[in-house]
Amino acid sequence: TVLAQILRSLGLADSAGRLVDPDDALIAAYRARLDSARAEMDRFGAGGVPALVAGSGDTRRLIPSGALFGGLETLVAKLQAA
């Protein structure tokens, strides 16, 4: 793959090899990360991607995805309100 070639050119042959032929540990880490992301999406009521959660700790909230496609002012306003 192109990404594997880039990794090799950066001296990351082991990473390139794992990308081309993932081992059990990499697959388990991928699945755990995916499960965590799905749980967060459910928690915030995100129905798909792109989704943007702003804030920190208990004050995090979902920013409507339409704000990502509108004007910059709309996005900034939504983020400031978070």
Side-chain angles (χ1 to χ4, degrees):
T1 67
V2 173
L3 184 52
Q5 291 172 348
I6 293 169
L7 291 170
R8 283 189 196 94
S9 73
L10 295 171
L12 301 169
D14 289 344
S15 296
R18 289 181 80 194
L19 178 67
V20 172
D21 186 22
D23 55 32
D24 291 340
L26 182 60
I27 292 170
Y30 163 77
R31 287 183 179 149
R33 186 171 172 97
L34 193 60
D35 289 345
S36 175
R38 285 181 178 149
E40 286 294 287
M41 288 180 72
D42 288 346
R43 185 175 126 190
F44 287 100
V49 293
L52 179 63
V53 175
S56 62
D58 293 335
T59 64
R60 294 185 303 162
R61 67 182 186 88
L62 183 67
I63 303 296
S65 61
L68 298 171
F69 301 104
L72 181 60
E73 297 80 20
T74 302
L75 178 58
V76 170
K78 296 287 185 184
L79 290 171
Q80 287 175 335

